[in-house]
Structures are given as C-alpha cells and as structure tokens.
Amino acid sequence: MNFTIEKPNLSIHDKLVDKINNLTKPKGSLGRLEELALKIGLIQQSLSPTLSNPHNILFAADHGIVEENVSKSPKEITWQQLSNFLHGGAGINFLCRQNGFKLLLVDSGVDYDLPYESGIVNMSVGRGTKNFLYGPAMSREEMELCLQRGAEVVSKVHDAGCNVVSFGEMGIGNTSPSSIWMHLFTGISLDQCVGAGSGLDNIGINHKYNVLKKSVENYKGDGTTEDIISWFGGFEMVMAIGGMLRAAELNMIILVDGFIMTTCMLAASKMHPEVLEYAIFGHQGDEVGHKLLLDSMNQHAILNLGLRLGEGSGSVCCYPIIVSAVNMINEMDNFANASITKYF
C-alpha cells in the first residue's frame, strides 16, 4: 500500500512562534506546552488549532512465538481482555471515559470466535501469526493487508470528525517482536531490548532473550524494512503501522503509547520518516528498552509514570496535557491586548 506523507509546511512556523512568545508569560515559561502547541499548530497549519472527537484504536491479535514460553501470561488472555474491554472494566476503559475518547476495538487476528455483534470491528487477517523462531510470522501479502486495514480504520474515524488518534494493542507475547524490531532497526544490542513484558522474572527474561536471539540468527530474509516487519511482526502491530501512516497522510495528531506502539512508530518511520512530524509520544514506559528506543529516535515522552499496561493507556493518559497546550495558544491573552508591558 502506498502512502503520500509530507512534512508540515513551515511557512506558518514563525507566526506560531510569535503568537506563543507574545502570550502574557515569560518566553518559554510554559515549557513543553509551548513545544506541543507549536507542533500541533504546524500539523494543522493553524494559529488556532483544535482537538476533535479523539479516538483510541485498539488492535488485537495473537502471536505464534508464545509457543516458546516467552510470556508470563497465557495466550487466552488476549481474547479474555477483549471481552473485558467490551464490558468497560479495563484500564483503557476508565482512561477513555475520563478523557473523552471513543474506544474502538479491532480484531486484527485473534485466535478465538469473537462476538463481532457486540461492537468489535472484524479486520482479522488470520488466527494469529506463525512462530517466527522457525520462519516468517506472516506473508508479505498478509503484511500488506494489515497495512491496508489499519489505514481503513483510521480513514473511518477521520470521516467521523476525529483529528487526534491514539493507538493501543492487545496481544500476548507482543513485546517479543517489538524487541526484535528495536534491535534490527536501531542496532541496539538485543539484550538491551528484551524486558520483562507482562512480568517475567530474571530466569524468564533470560529464556526470552535466548529464544529471540535464536530467532534473529535463524532469519533468512532480505533485511528490508518490509521484510523485517513481516518476518517478526504481529498482525495488530502492522495494522497500527498502517493506521499511523494513514493518520499522518490525513494530517492528524498521532498519540504514541508505550514500548510496543513506539516500536510500531519506529517501523513506520523506516518506511516514511515524515510520519514522526505528526507523532506525540505519550509516556516513557517501564519496559527496559523503552528509554533507549526513545533516545535512538530523538524523542521525549510527555509522562514517565512507570506504566507498562499497553492498550493505549499512556497516550490517553497524557491527553489533558495536549488539551492544555491547545488551550494555552487559544485562550491566553497577549501583551498588547492585555495592556501589559512585555517584560522579557
């Protein structure tokens, strides 16, 4: 699937900076809020940006690599948590309710007969990926289909008036493909990319590392971004990439969640570097490699609360700060109108 993503036009940059600097405050005194307001203004090409109909799109799928006992949680947690999401009892549910997000649940490839009539969107590409210890997790055709379907979901929420979108995931075992993507796309040693996931102890982390090390050694692909994505990825992860690229194409604000979604943004940026111009990183998670990953991308997260839940929780949790940045540029008076001497 082809995406046409352009960097925001910088012709409005100086006007945005001038507006922010002339608000009734010392220059730079609102710190990250000023940086965020500038970025959002550039994305929307507006001196008065707006936030409309925010969505958290949660893609779910199963992973063949769980057959190697790389996760403390059993595979069935994927579909069981989807049921929990439907009933409003999960972490992402209260965060979406609190912050005015619509939660959209998407089956990307869960190995279970899900109740689509209850509101889950059926975009399934299969009953989970294959075990990448022995070969590709998915075919190139399946990867392309995931990109297409992820983009389609974002197009639909955009048509409904959404201009700010968060992405979440549910897929037991998905820190394993994320760790390999991080290693192969950044060159950071694999041992620094592998963490506890859903709660492995040191013995479990060591076993996980050995499985992933062997998987990388067994890799027989061509080393291209697309091949690495399909060989080691998850259906839900590749759909998130498609969603991110489509969101950037539509000039939407992209809120990036924790370790797994950051590796998806990393992969998306390897395909289209311009996508980073539309990304705001919600939080630095508790997974061991997340800070290294953010540093390698020259990105700084808004929050650092020790989160490691996934589901889009960190990106939705940071949303009030996004709102504050937009309210700042829209609601604060300037020195001239307030008849205040400019004091810097």
Side-chain angles (χ1 to χ4, degrees):
M1 185 172 180
N2 296 317
F3 297 90
T4 303
I5 302 172
E6 298 180 357
K7 289 186 177 182
N9 191 317
L10 293 179
S11 62
I12 198 175
H13 178 274
D14 290 349
K15 292 180 180 178
L16 280 164
V17 171
D18 184 67
K19 181 175 182 180
I20 292 168
N21 285 347
N22 279 284
L23 299 175
T24 52
K25 58 175 180 56
K27 182 179 178 181
S29 61
L30 282 176
R32 290 295 302 277
L33 296 186
E34 299 186 25
E35 296 173 16
L36 290 167
L38 175 60
K39 182 160 193 167
I40 294 168
L42 286 171
I43 290 171
Q44 297 188 359
Q45 294 288 289
S46 173
L47 297 175
S48 300
T50 60
L51 301 170
S52 175
N53 199 15
H55 277 66
N56 184 64
I57 301 173
L58 195 156
F59 297 104
D62 282 307
H63 294 255
I65 194 64
V66 298
E67 298 167 7
E68 306 302 322
N69 297 314
V70 293
S71 174
K72 184 176 181 179
S73 302
K75 174 181 171 181
E76 61 265 23
I77 295 295
T78 301
W79 71 259
Q80 290 173 354
Q81 271 293 80
L82 273 178
S83 177
N84 193 23
F85 299 147
L86 279 176
H87 292 93
I92 193 57
N93 293 108
F94 86 79
L95 287 167
C96 283
R97 287 192 294 266
Q98 174 181 312
N99 293 296
F101 274 70
K102 292 182 180 177
L103 177 60
L104 190 62
L105 304 175
V106 180
D107 175 16
S108 304
V110 178
D111 188 13
Y112 192 77
D113 292 323
L114 295 170
Y116 299 123
E117 69 280 359
S118 298
I120 298 173
V121 179
N122 182 11
M123 290 286 186
S124 179
V125 175
R127 292 278 188 138
T129 53
K130 296 181 177 63
N131 186 343
F132 59 66
L133 177 61
Y134 305 107
M138 68 186 80
S139 67
R140 294 292 282 269
E141 292 76 18
E142 287 172 327
M143 182 203 72
E144 288 288 342
L145 191 56
C146 285
L147 292 175
Q148 176 185 329
R149 291 184 176 180
E152 182 181 335
V153 174
V154 168
S155 294
K156 288 182 177 178
V157 302
H158 179 264
D159 290 345
C162 171
N163 71 359
V164 52
V165 61
S166 162
F167 293 97
E169 43 63 41
M170 184 64 229
I172 295 303
N174 59 12
T175 59
S176 290
S178 298
S179 297
I180 290 181
W181 279 4
M182 175 182 169
H183 167 61
L184 294 178
F185 287 139
T186 68
I188 296 171
S189 62
L190 183 61
D191 64 300
Q192 293 182 286
C193 303
V194 178
S198 60
L200 291 171
D201 58 17
N202 288 335
I203 294 174
I205 294 172
N206 188 56
H207 169 73
K208 179 180 177 180
Y209 167 76
N210 288 328
V211 169
L212 300 187
K213 181 175 181 288
K214 185 65 175 178
S215 299
V216 173
E217 291 171 350
N218 290 345
Y219 173 56
K220 298 178 177 64
D222 59 20
T224 61
T225 297
E226 290 78 7
D227 194 68
I228 291 171
I229 288 171
S230 57
W231 194 289
F232 296 106
F235 292 144
E236 83 283 22
M237 297 166 65
V238 182
M239 280 198 194
I241 293 172
M244 290 170 176
L245 294 174
R246 180 57 176 153
E249 193 173 43
L250 293 169
N251 302 317
M252 299 172 72
I253 301 162
I254 304 168
L255 303 182
V256 184
D257 191 35
F259 179 63
I260 294 156
M261 287 296 100
T262 303
T263 59
C264 290
M265 179 54 73
L266 171 66
S269 72
K270 294 299 179 181
M271 300 173 72
H272 292 276
E274 303 82 3
V275 70
L276 288 172
E277 302 293 333
Y278 299 86
I280 295 173
F281 292 79
H283 79 109
Q284 179 186 308
D286 203 35
E287 189 71 11
V288 63
H290 197 194
K291 184 181 187 302
L292 292 174
L293 177 56
L294 289 166
D295 289 346
S296 74
M297 299 169 71
N298 294 315
Q299 300 295 329
H300 303 282
I302 294 174
L303 303 176
N304 184 350
L305 302 177
L307 307 178
R308 55 182 178 87
L309 177 63
E311 304 173 6
S313 54
S315 50
V316 175
C317 195
C318 85
Y319 187 64
I321 297 175
I322 308 297
V323 174
S324 293
V326 170
N327 288 347
M328 177 203 74
I329 195 172
N330 287 329
E331 297 181 15
M332 281 187 74
D333 210 342
N334 59 48
F335 288 107
N337 287 340
S339 299
I340 295 175
T341 301
K342 195 170 180 179
Y343 53 94
F344 60 86

